[in-house]
Amino acid sequence: MKPDDVAKGRSAVGSEAGTAALHAAAVPGAVTRVARAGATLRPAAPFLIALIIWWGAWALLRPPDIILVPPNKVFSALLDLVRQGLLDAFIKVSLERLARGVLVGILIGVPVGWLLGLNEDVSRAAEPILRFFNAVSGIAWLPLMILWFGFSERTISAIIVYTMAFPVIFNTMLGVSTIPNRLPNACRTLGAGSLRIIKDVYVPGSFPSVMTGFRLGIGYGWRALIAGEFVVGGGGLGFLIFNARTQGNIAEVMGGMIVLGLLWLMIDRLILSSVEQNIIGRWGLMRT
Amino acid sequence: MTQANSNGSTIRASTVESEPPTIAIKSLNHVYFDYQSKKTVHALKDVELEIQPSELVTVVGPSGCGKTTLLNIIAGFIKPTEGQILVNGRPVNKPGKDRGVVFQELAILPWRTVYRNIAHGLEIQKVAKEEIERRVRRLTELTGLEGFENHYPHQLSGGMKQRVAVARTWAADPEIILMDEPFAAVDAMTRQTLQEELLSLTVRTGKTVFFITHSVEEAVFLGDRVIALSARPGRVKADITVPVSRANRSWREMSKNDALQECVEDVLELVRGEATASDRSGGAVSADRTHEA
Amino acid sequence: MTTLASTAHLPVGERIKRIVLPAVPFVLLLAVWGSAKFVFDIPRGILPDVISVFRVPFTLTDQYLAHTIASVQRLLLGFAVAAVSGLLVGLGAGLSRRFAEFIGPLSTFMNAISGIAWIPLAIAWFGIGTPMVVFIIWNSAFFLVLGNTILGVRLVPRVLEQGLFTLGASRFDVIRHVIFPGAMPHIVAGLRSGLGFGWRAVIAAELVGATVGLGQWIFIAQEFRRTDIIIAGAFTIGAIGLLTDRGILAPLERRTVERWGMAGRAT
C-alpha cells in the first residue's frame, strides 16, 4: 500500500509541475498565440499556393473565359448563385437524392450482407454474381434506367441504390463472417439461442465493418449521383455544373466543383468518420 | 497413485458405482477431413474417461494430440464420429449452459464492459437484476476485478481479460466447466497467480472442471487427476491421481513437496516420449487448435 | 474403419458444391428474365430476349469491337499515366515529411472532387473525345494512387531503414530495398482502387463526352431503344472491370502482400 501512496504523491507533484510549466509558457502569451494560429493555418497553405498558381496561370496565359477564369470570378459566381437562392436549392436537391438512395441502399444491403455472412453456402452461391454486378458500375445502367423510368427521380435513385448496395453488402458480410467462432460459441455455452447470439454478438461485432461499408457506399453513391444529374438533370449540383458548361459559364462550373468537394468532405468527415472513431476508440481495435 | 492401463479404463471408475459420473466419455472416436492439409485426420481413438462430481481433471499431451477436439466434443461444438458423451447419464449433442467453457484465446465480448461481460450469462438466463448485481459483485471480488467493472476489455491486461472470462463462466453457474489452456497466453508471473486463484475458486465453488494444458507442471498443480493423452490419434495413455489434496496447494508448497515433484517427473516421462513421437511423425503440429478456428 | 470410409466422400461433395453453388444464381437470373419476358409479354424496348443480348457481339461484331477497344485503350492509357505519376509524386512526398504534410490536405480535397465532377470542365478544356476521357481517368486514379503511396511509405517502420543504413547502404538502396517493397501493400491497394474508379469514370465520361466507346454506345442505344445493346454493353463493362482487377491487380496483390505475409488490407 505504501509504494502506491508514494507513486500517487509523485504523480501529483509531477502534474503540478506540469501546470506550472504551462503557466510559465503562457506568460509571453502573444508568442504562443501566433504559433498556435500558424499551426491551425498550416493545412491552408497548400490551398493558398494552389490558388496563387491558378491565378498566376490565368494571368500569364489570359485564356478565354470559356477555358479558365481567375479565382475571384469563381467567387463572385458563387455569390451570385447564393444571392439568387439557387445554390442552397441545388444542394438541397442533391442531398435529398443522396439521402433517399442511401437509405434504400442500406435497407437492402445490410440484410443481404447478414444473410451472406451467416450462411456459408449462401455466400458461396451469391458472391460471384454479386462481384460481377458490382463490376458493372451503376452508371452503366443509366441508359436502361432511363428507358424504364424516363428522365426522372426514380432513375437517379435506382443507380444510387445500386451503387451503394454492393459495398454495404460486402462489408456487412465481411464483418459478420470474420467474427471468430469462439465468440458465438462462448455465448452458446452461457445458454444463448440463435436470436440472442445474433443480437449480442453479430450485430455489435459487425457494426464497425457495416459502418465502413456505409462510408464507402455513400462515397460511390455520391459519384453516381453526380453522373446521374449530368444525364437526367432536374436540378442538383451535378446538373448545375453540367448545365453551366453548355452555357460556357466556367466560373459556375468551377464554383460548383468546389462546393461538391467541400460538401463531400463535410459528409465524410463530420458524420461518418466520427461515428467510426467513437466505436473503434471504445471497443479497441477489433479488426485484426 | 493409480496408474491406468493403456486402454484408459481407469481403476477409479469401477470403484464408484453408486451414482452416474458427472462426465462419462464412452468409446470415443473422431475422424475429420482437414481442408488445409487435404488429409483425413484421426484425432481421437477409443477414448474412455469418467469424471466424478467436483473433480478437477487436467489433460496433458503433445501438440496436435486432439486435446482441444476432445474438449469441443464435450462442449457440444463438434459431433464425434463414434461413441458418446454422457453428462449425468444424459447424452450430449449440443452446447448447453450446464457446461461453461473458458477458451484459450480471448472469447469475452469486446463491446461489453467487464460488468456486462460477467453478467452476460445471467442476462441470458433472465435472472433478476438485483440477483445479477449480487452475483457479479461476488465474482469480481473472488477474481480480483473490483474497480474494473466499467472498463472495456481492450483497456485490460491479458491476465485481467482472462479473469473476466473465468468470472463470466462462473457467474452463469454451470455444473461443469471446460477450460482450454486458458492461461497459455499470459506471462509466467501472472499465470502462477491465476492458477492459485483458480484453485481457491474451484475449492470454494465445488465445480467439476475439465482442464486442458500442454504444461505438465500446470496439470499436476491444478488437477485431482492428470490424464496423459498420446500423440495422434489421441488415446488415454495414463490416468494419474495427484497425491496431495487440492485445498492445500500453492506454488511455494509445490516446489517443496516431494510427492508432487515426483508426480511431475512421472507425467513428464510419459509425455516426453509422446512429444518426440509426434515430432517424428511430422504432422501438422497445431492441428487441434486450427481445427477449432 | 467404416466411419473412415463414410467421411472420405466429403471432399467429392465439396467439389460438386464449388461448381454448382456459384452457377445457381446466374441460372436463376436468366430463368426469371426469360420467363418474365414470356409471361408478361414485355416489349423489346423495355427488356430484350436473353438470347438477343448474347448475340450482340456476333451480329454487331465490328461496332462491338470498335467501342470496346476504344474504351479499354483509354483506360490503359489514363491508368498508366496515373499510376506512374501517382507513384513518383507519392514516393517523393512520402520521403519528405514536410512535402507530405503540405500535399496531404490538398490531395484529400482533390480526391473529394472525384473524377466524374471534372467532366464538364474537361469537356471545356479538351473538347469531346479521347483526351478528355483520358484526363478524367487520370484524375480519378491519380489521387488514390498518390494518397495510398504516401501512406504506405509513411508506415514503413523506421527500424528497417536504420537497419540497412548501418549496413552501409545508400539512400537509393534504402528506397529500393526497404521503402518501395515496404510500401507495396498500400501501393497495390491504391492501384487497385484507382483502376476501379478509373473504369467507372471512363463509362461516365463516355456517356456524355465521346463519339465512340462503350459508354457512348449504350447511351446512343437508349435513344433507339436497343435494350439488347445496352445490356450487352453493361455486361461487357462488368466483365472488363472484373478481368482487369482479377487478372492483373489481384495476382499482383497476392504475389506481394500475401507472399510477404503483410496485412496491408485496412485502408
Side-chain angles (χ1 to χ4, degrees):
Chain A
M1 209 181 271
K2 257 190 182 162
D4 244 2
D5 289 343
V6 172
K8 258 182 212 161
R10 198 176 294 151
S11 79
V13 170
S15 69
E16 251 172 42
T19 50
L22 264 180
H23 283 301
V27 174
V31 179
T32 47
R33 212 170 298 148
V34 169
R36 211 173 297 146
T40 50
L41 274 182
R42 191 176 288 166
F47 293 95
L48 272 174
I49 290 175
L51 269 180
I52 292 167
I53 293 172
W54 173 6
W55 196 83
W58 175 82
L60 211 72
L61 302 168
R62 289 281 167 176
D65 271 2
I66 54 163
I67 300 291
L68 192 70
V69 293
N72 58 313
K73 276 203 181 174
V74 171
F75 187 68
S76 58
L78 274 178
L79 266 184
D80 278 348
L81 280 173
V82 172
R83 227 173 273 139
Q84 292 158 9
L86 280 174
L87 193 64
D88 54 320
F90 280 151
I91 289 176
K92 203 170 151 241
V93 169
S94 285
L95 287 183
E96 268 175 17
R97 284 170 172 164
L98 184 70
R100 211 177 309 135
V102 162
L103 191 70
V104 180
I106 288 171
L107 286 179
I108 294 172
V110 172
V112 174
W114 268 80
L115 191 71
L116 297 186
L118 285 174
N119 190 319
E120 205 194 336
D121 280 345
V122 175
S123 76
R124 275 162 67 186
E127 236 193 283
I129 200 169
L130 288 173
R131 296 264 171 223
F132 177 74
F133 279 98
N134 179 41
V136 184
S137 59
I139 296 160
W141 293 114
L142 256 177
L144 193 66
M145 293 305 110
I146 290 171
L147 284 182
W148 286 3
F149 306 122
F151 289 85
S152 71
E153 289 298 319
R154 246 196 247 176
T155 299
I156 294 179
S157 293
I159 64 162
I160 297 176
V161 169
Y162 182 96
T163 319
M164 169 97 195
F166 291 101
V168 174
I169 291 175
F170 288 136
N171 280 284
T172 306
M173 181 177 104
L174 194 74
V176 172
S177 65
T178 51
I179 290 173
N181 275 337
R182 58 180 189 271
L183 294 187
N185 275 349
C187 289
R188 219 167 293 153
T189 63
L190 296 174
S194 300
L195 268 178
R196 186 82 203 197
I197 288 173
I198 286 178
K199 182 175 147 277
D200 288 358
V201 180
Y202 286 108
V203 170
S206 65
F207 196 67
S209 186
V210 171
M211 285 311 297
T212 307
F214 285 1
R215 201 173 158 192
L216 282 174
I218 293 172
Y220 296 150
W222 181 246
R223 285 162 169 81
L225 167 76
I226 297 166
E229 287 178 344
F230 285 171
V231 175
V232 176
L237 288 166
F239 169 77
L240 169 76
I241 61 173
F242 198 72
N243 197 43
R245 209 283 306 166
T246 51
Q247 294 165 2
N249 189 348
I250 292 302
E252 240 177 63
V253 174
M254 296 180 83
M257 285 168 69
I258 292 170
V259 173
L260 271 174
L262 288 175
L263 212 56
W264 170 246
L265 282 184
M266 271 164 61
I267 295 172
D268 189 52
R269 286 294 134 94
L270 285 178
I271 308 169
L272 296 167
S273 52
S274 72
V275 172
E276 230 180 21
Q277 259 155 27
N278 275 341
I279 294 163
I280 292 169
R282 192 152 56 111
W283 296 348
L285 268 178
M286 288 156 37
R287 279 173 290 178
T288 43
Chain B
M1 194 189 301
T2 50
Q3 196 137 346
N5 62 20
S6 62
N7 274 339
S9 55
T10 63
I11 299 157
R12 275 167 135 268
S14 54
T15 57
V16 188
E17 295 233 316
S18 50
E19 51 183 304
T22 307
I23 304 174
I25 299 168
K26 299 214 158 143
S27 54
L28 194 70
N29 270 285
H30 190 65
V31 181
Y32 65 91
F33 185 79
D34 182 41
Y35 286 102
Q36 270 166 0
S37 64
K38 301 211 166 58
K39 273 183 194 147
T40 306
V41 177
H42 202 151
L44 296 166
K45 191 166 188 285
D46 303 326
V47 175
E48 299 271 349
L49 196 61
E50 288 188 352
I51 298 171
Q52 308 306 327
S54 297
E55 237 186 341
L56 199 161
V57 172
T58 55
V59 178
V60 277
S63 307
C65 72
K67 303 185 293 273
T68 299
T69 308
L70 180 58
L71 182 136
N72 281 335
I73 291 172
I74 301 174
F77 298 137
I78 301 176
K79 279 200 174 56
T81 322
E82 237 180 47
Q84 62 177 349
I85 308 284
L86 300 176
V87 167
N88 293 324
R90 285 188 308 276
V92 157
N93 49 28
K94 62 174 200 238
K97 63 174 193 288
D98 55 336
R99 282 152 291 139
V101 180
V102 181
F103 294 84
Q104 175 185 1
E105 287 161 286
L106 198 64
I108 54 176
L109 300 177
W111 42 87
R112 280 178 171 246
T113 58
V114 168
Y115 182 94
R116 296 206 59 214
N117 260 301
I118 299 175
H120 197 190
L122 303 170
E123 281 176 30
I124 291 167
Q125 293 168 31
K126 300 204 167 61
V127 174
K129 213 178 155 207
E130 298 75 39
E131 175 67 11
I132 291 182
E133 244 182 76
R134 203 181 60 76
R135 280 211 244 172
V136 172
R137 201 180 314 124
R138 183 173 133 78
L139 273 156
T140 46
E141 273 165 27
L142 283 174
T143 52
L145 283 166
E146 297 143 299
F148 293 94
E149 287 87 348
N150 294 319
H151 284 56
Y152 283 91
H154 76 100
Q155 298 168 309
L156 303 176
S157 67
M160 294 298 267
K161 285 178 194 165
Q162 213 48 278
R163 283 192 177 98
V164 178
V166 169
R168 170 181 70 177
T169 306
W170 252 267
D173 202 21
E175 189 185 352
I176 298 163
I177 289 169
L178 310 169
M179 304 182 87
D180 184 5
E181 302 197 29
F183 308 140
V186 298
D187 65 276
M189 292 291 288
T190 315
R191 192 181 309 138
Q192 293 202 341
T193 319
L194 288 173
Q195 285 161 344
E196 285 176 351
E197 284 174 12
L198 179 69
L199 269 185
S200 76
L201 191 64
T202 48
V203 169
R204 278 207 221 179
T205 53
K207 299 287 179 200
T208 309
V209 181
F210 181 84
F211 189 104
I212 283 177
T213 175
H214 62 257
S215 152
V216 172
E217 276 213 308
E218 183 173 57
V220 172
F221 179 67
L222 291 176
D224 292 315
R225 280 157 65 204
V226 177
I227 309 290
L229 281 191
S230 69
R232 209 152 60 199
R235 279 172 295 106
V236 175
K237 201 179 175 196
D239 184 338
I240 299 150
T241 302
V242 182
V244 176
S245 158
R246 260 194 295 140
N248 345 320
R249 281 187 216 162
S250 70
W251 278 107
R252 286 167 64 94
E253 203 55 38
M254 178 83 178
S255 53
K256 289 187 217 142
N257 190 312
D258 288 342
L260 284 173
Q261 287 305 321
E262 198 182 314
C263 187
V264 169
E265 287 304 318
D266 287 349
V267 183
L268 263 177
E269 200 54 46
L270 281 164
V271 176
R272 200 177 286 138
E274 289 302 329
T276 48
S278 94
D279 281 349
R280 219 170 288 139
S281 72
V285 174
S286 58
D288 65 339
R289 230 165 289 157
T290 52
H291 180 63
E292 177 232 10
Chain C
M1 283 320 264
T2 50
T3 52
L4 269 173
S6 68
T7 50
H9 78 280
L10 236 167
V12 181
E14 181 64 19
R15 217 169 296 153
I16 294 169
K17 256 186 173 179
R18 246 168 229 184
I19 301 164
V20 172
L21 278 179
V24 170
F26 286 100
V27 173
L28 219 65
L29 177 75
L30 293 183
V32 170
W33 173 2
S35 51
K37 184 132 177 71
F38 178 72
V39 173
F40 299 108
D41 196 24
I42 301 167
R44 232 203 286 177
I46 298 294
L47 196 71
D49 286 317
V50 176
I51 296 161
S52 71
V53 168
F54 292 98
R55 280 213 324 244
V56 167
F58 303 102
T59 52
L60 302 168
T61 310
D62 290 350
Q63 282 184 51
Y64 181 79
L65 283 180
H67 291 299
T68 307
I69 290 169
S71 295
V72 173
Q73 270 178 349
R74 287 164 179 162
L75 175 71
L76 294 182
L77 184 60
F79 179 67
V81 178
V84 172
S85 55
L87 262 175
L88 288 180
V89 180
L91 279 177
L95 290 174
S96 147
R97 180 176 288 273
R98 278 235 176 120
F99 190 42
E101 275 172 7
F102 178 76
I103 210 169
L106 193 65
S107 140
T108 312
F109 181 73
M110 294 305 276
N111 198 26
I113 308 179
S114 58
I116 286 170
W118 281 82
I119 291 172
L121 195 61
I123 293 176
W125 287 354
F126 300 103
I128 276 172
T130 299
M132 189 286 276
V133 180
V134 170
F135 174 79
I136 293 299
I137 301 164
W138 172 80
N139 195 304
S140 308
F142 173 76
F143 293 101
L144 286 167
V145 178
L146 175 69
N148 278 289
T149 307
I150 294 178
L151 186 71
V153 173
R154 296 252 73 122
L155 291 180
V156 176
R158 264 285 146 88
V159 199
L160 298 182
E161 249 176 88
Q162 287 158 350
L164 210 63
F165 274 128
T166 60
L167 295 176
S170 68
R171 183 109 179 109
F172 178 75
D173 285 332
V174 170
I175 294 173
R176 209 180 111 198
H177 294 297
V178 175
I179 295 180
F180 191 68
M184 205 56 186
H186 284 92
I187 293 175
V188 175
L191 289 174
R192 245 186 122 167
S193 53
L195 189 71
F197 274 98
W199 184 234
R200 284 165 167 75
V202 175
I203 305 308
E206 287 177 346
L207 219 55
V208 292
T211 48
V212 287
L214 283 168
Q216 183 60 21
W217 197 34
I218 59 174
F219 193 59
I220 294 294
Q222 169 258 319
E223 281 168 23
F224 298 98
R225 296 192 162 269
R226 283 295 297 268
T227 50
D228 53 342
I229 293 179
I230 295 177
I231 294 181
F235 282 1
T236 309
I237 289 166
I240 292 170
L242 270 187
L243 272 178
T244 48
D245 186 61
R246 298 279 130 151
I248 304 169
L249 288 171
L252 185 65
E253 191 164 45
R254 223 171 298 133
R255 284 187 63 171
T256 56
V257 182
E258 281 164 36
R259 194 174 50 179
W260 298 341
M262 298 199 286
R265 282 294 181 76
T267 42

